[in-house]
Amino acid sequence: MLFKDFASDINPHQAYRIKRLKRKLESAETYQEWKSIALKIDEESGAQEWKLDNCSPYFDAEIISHRLSMLKRYRVQKRTRDLMYILREGLSYDIANIAHPLLFTVAYVGTKKIIEDYIEEVSQSLAFIASEECTCLNAKEKISFFEQCKLAFGQPALMFSGGSTLGLFHTGVCKALMEQDLMPNVLSGSSAGAIMTAMLGVSKPSEFSQILKGQNFYSEAFHFRKLTDLIKGNGGLADVKYLKNFLVENLGNMTFAEALQTSGLNINIAVAPYEASQDARIMNAHTSPDLLVWSAVLASCAVPVLFPPVRLTSKRYDGEYTPYMASTRWVDGSVRSDFPQEKMSRLYNINYSIASQVNPHVVPFMQDDISRYRKDMLSWPERIVRRQGKVIAKGVMDFARERVGLVPPVRRLLDHGYGVVDQRYYGDVNIVGKYSLRHYSYMLQNPRPYLFKILQKEGERATWPKISLIETHARVGKTIQHCLELLKYQHVPDQNRKEFIAT
């Protein structure tokens, strides 16, 4: 599928070389090794020539070409005011549709060269304005300009799905992004993804790499209850005490407000009220600053049937632990809000989202970008089946809820089922695991070193093909952030610089 546009031009020798390179690609141990092999495949397949051709139905090359020439001219001529004006006009990561996913499916590394040149020129233009070469603006004006740019451009978010022990896949995603300095500052997680989010959220940045080595994950978090206890009722299949002890041990008694101060990360944990009369929520330093992080994660991991619904705990201003919404019990956030994109967008000015998806009931039905964005007639049957299947499933559950709504357990089960079907499981960039039957045997195993290594490496390898796309999306935003930090640092009095660096 990747090389369909070039298949007719590839001779048998090229096809053989590409096949060998693709086998090597699957066994690459680092991103540098993977990228080196991928570039050779792009060369052999003709994808490099495709990059030089500006023709594409997916973006407006004429707009990008025109803006590129103006930016370059204004920067070279040091026409700062004109440069600022033209930058403000197009301060968006997807201007002229350059972020269309299908622009990143032809080549393993990179996209159209004109798009890469445009992103590079925007970054250089911003750097020029922040530099000492730009003399027509004072420091205050420069800082004001970059603060406006930061607000206009927005920032990315990384969302971790649920998936029980399969959530160890998320550690590989984090590792790959951190190694390329592409880790967003806004994270969300539900169920197993909530554990990954919280582990990073309560740690200092210097401790992130140690966490991703996996020692903190090795625990007896899953402990199934005895048959005699199950018969008595009042609980799920697994004992929630073991999971609670694991979370308290690793997350401590830190609140969301304290976590933000410690890590600098805006972490969001998705939880859902046990009673469907209330909507799902995201807990974070803005909506619930005094809520204990481990408490929110425990609720987000409370998968119906597996764990019982739980109550939340807050830390009061005097250090006393008190119930949070004492009359409400909470369950797994992925039941109704696996990826809370809309809610986070309002809080953090999100411009695009990266989704790490490992939920076992979702991954088998996920489509790649080529399948999702196909518009030819051959794609119509599948699109109709998918769309109508969702409508019918929701309709059946609505009908059932009307008929058995007086039976609370059945009503709740149908409400949870409706929430699972009604969600949007895609981000703007999707990192999805490749599943076999073997993966389902991992689901309720307690994490062990061998299992951690397998799933982390799968997460890394799933992320590497997305690095070019994420780099393209992130480049301008990171340039704005770096320029702003540099300008603020340069104009902080010497005696206050140590405090500035510390914050």
Side-chain angles (χ1 to χ4, degrees):
M1 182 69 76
L2 186 65
F3 305 117
K4 62 180 181 177
D5 294 333
F6 314 114
S8 59
D9 299 325
I10 295 176
N11 61 47
H13 295 293
Q14 285 177 300
Y16 174 71
R17 288 196 295 270
I18 290 172
K19 188 175 181 180
R20 286 186 59 192
L21 288 168
K22 290 176 77 173
R23 281 201 297 266
K24 289 183 180 180
L25 198 70
E26 291 173 358
S27 60
E29 290 298 320
T30 65
Y31 177 64
Q32 287 69 30
E33 182 186 353
W34 183 93
K35 185 176 180 180
S36 176
I37 298 168
L39 286 169
K40 291 176 183 176
I41 296 176
D42 288 344
E43 190 67 42
E44 290 283 356
S45 69
Q48 295 290 9
E49 285 75 14
W50 171 85
K51 293 180 184 179
L52 300 174
D53 181 4
N54 292 345
C55 296
S56 172
Y58 304 120
F59 81 110
D60 195 324
E62 187 176 340
I63 289 177
I64 296 301
S65 178
H66 177 65
R67 289 185 56 80
L68 176 59
S69 63
M70 283 197 298
L71 286 169
K72 196 173 294 186
R73 184 168 69 250
Y74 293 159
R75 178 174 60 83
V76 171
Q77 295 175 354
K78 297 186 178 181
R79 294 166 57 181
T80 304
R81 298 290 181 182
D82 290 329
L83 188 60
M84 293 168 63
Y85 182 82
I86 197 70
L87 282 169
R88 285 195 183 106
E89 272 189 346
L91 207 55
S92 170
Y93 83 100
D94 61 351
I95 181 174
N97 217 27
I98 60 173
H100 195 290
L102 291 187
L103 291 169
F104 296 85
T105 57
V106 176
Y108 273 109
V109 180
T111 183
K112 295 287 188 181
K113 189 173 186 303
I114 191 173
I115 294 176
E116 295 175 347
D117 290 344
Y118 176 75
I119 297 295
E120 174 67 22
E121 183 56 44
V122 171
S123 296
Q124 287 190 26
S125 297
L126 289 166
F128 165 75
I129 294 172
S131 72
E132 294 179 354
E133 289 184 66
C134 177
T135 56
C136 66
L137 299 175
N138 60 38
K140 186 176 180 180
E141 289 173 322
K142 288 183 180 182
I143 290 172
S144 175
F145 170 73
F146 280 101
E147 284 179 339
Q148 291 171 8
C149 288
K150 183 180 178 180
L151 182 63
F153 193 80
Q155 64 177 324
L158 175 57
M159 307 180 296
F160 301 114
S161 76
S164 191
T165 304
L166 295 173
L168 295 175
F169 176 96
H170 299 318
T171 66
V173 175
C174 291
K175 185 171 181 286
L177 293 177
M178 285 184 182
E179 287 175 349
Q180 303 305 313
D181 192 26
L182 293 172
M183 189 72 177
N185 286 325
V186 179
L187 309 178
S188 81
S190 60
S191 194
I195 297 177
M196 182 74 257
T197 301
M199 286 279 200
L200 295 174
V202 301
S203 306
K204 297 177 182 177
S206 60
E207 299 170 344
F208 291 168
S209 59
Q210 187 62 36
I211 288 172
L212 296 180
K213 292 180 180 178
Q215 297 296 327
N216 300 61
F217 293 93
Y218 306 148
S219 174
E220 297 292 333
F222 293 117
H223 185 84
F224 290 98
R225 300 169 70 209
K226 296 178 181 178
L227 181 60
T228 52
D229 293 330
L230 291 174
I231 293 173
K232 293 177 184 177
N234 299 322
L237 296 175
D239 193 334
V240 74
K241 292 179 182 177
Y242 285 82
L243 179 59
K244 178 181 176 180
N245 291 338
F246 164 74
L247 295 174
V248 173
E249 180 183 344
N250 285 281
L251 304 179
N253 289 312
M254 196 175 289
T255 66
F256 278 96
E258 292 167 345
L260 176 59
Q261 290 182 341
T262 301
S263 66
L265 298 175
N266 289 284
I267 61 170
N268 301 265
I269 305 299
V271 297
Y274 184 52
E275 302 295 339
S277 57
Q278 299 182 57
D279 291 332
R281 292 183 59 181
I282 54 171
M283 303 304 190
N284 54 46
H286 299 294
T287 63
S288 49
D290 303 318
L291 181 64
L292 294 176
V293 175
W294 71 257
S295 173
V297 176
L298 182 65
S300 192
C301 291
V303 181
V305 180
L306 183 61
F307 290 110
V310 301
R311 300 190 190 278
L312 298 176
T313 305
S314 289
K315 186 195 292 186
R316 210 167 56 187
Y317 57 87
D318 58 0
E320 186 76 19
Y321 297 133
T322 60
Y324 179 93
M325 295 183 65
S327 61
T328 304
R329 293 183 297 167
W330 306 81
V331 295
D332 180 7
S334 63
V335 169
R336 282 182 243 158
S337 186
D338 204 28
F339 290 157
Q341 299 179 63
E342 292 183 10
K343 295 177 182 178
M344 288 199 300
S345 294
R346 291 195 290 268
L347 283 171
Y348 303 109
N349 190 27
I350 302 301
N351 54 5
Y352 69 92
S353 59
I354 304 168
S356 178
Q357 178 59 262
V358 293
N359 245 324
H361 64 280
V362 175
V363 168
F365 303 99
M366 295 281 284
Q367 294 178 295
D368 61 23
D369 290 333
I370 293 175
S371 300
R372 284 179 66 208
Y373 289 95
R374 284 179 63 190
K375 297 294 172 66
D376 57 280
M377 290 185 65
L378 292 176
S379 69
W380 289 7
E382 183 180 359
R383 290 168 63 192
I384 291 170
V385 168
R386 281 177 171 271
R387 191 170 298 175
Q388 294 306 312
K390 184 174 181 178
V391 171
I392 292 170
K394 289 165 63 178
V396 168
M397 280 185 277
D398 264 340
F399 179 82
R401 285 194 295 184
E402 291 174 3
R403 297 297 182 273
V404 295
L406 297 178
V407 184
V410 178
R411 172 77 187 205
R412 276 194 293 269
L413 186 63
L414 289 169
D415 287 338
H416 294 330
Y418 190 94
V420 169
V421 173
D422 193 41
Q423 291 184 57
R424 182 173 183 266
Y425 290 102
Y426 291 96
D428 297 297
V429 181
N430 298 286
I431 302 170
V432 184
K434 292 182 180 179
Y435 276 11
S436 63
L437 291 175
R438 162 175 60 93
H439 286 79
Y440 290 89
S441 69
Y442 298 156
M443 280 184 55
L444 296 179
Q445 292 185 35
N446 282 297
R448 293 290 179 266
Y450 80 94
L451 190 55
F452 178 85
K453 289 179 182 178
I454 290 171
L455 292 173
Q456 184 179 72
K457 185 55 68 175
E458 288 185 5
E460 287 186 80
R461 288 184 173 141
T463 307
W464 292 339
K466 303 292 185 178
I467 292 293
S468 290
L469 173 57
I470 297 170
E471 277 181 334
T472 302
H473 289 2
R475 177 74 184 278
V476 172
K478 290 185 75 64
T479 301
I480 293 170
Q481 182 65 31
H482 291 161
C483 289
L484 190 55
E485 289 173 356
L486 178 64
L487 287 166
K488 287 183 175 180
Y489 173 77
Q490 288 174 341
H491 296 89
V492 169
D494 290 340
Q495 61 270 26
N496 296 331
R497 283 191 177 177
K498 288 184 179 179
E499 294 180 17
F500 180 84
I501 293 171
T503 59

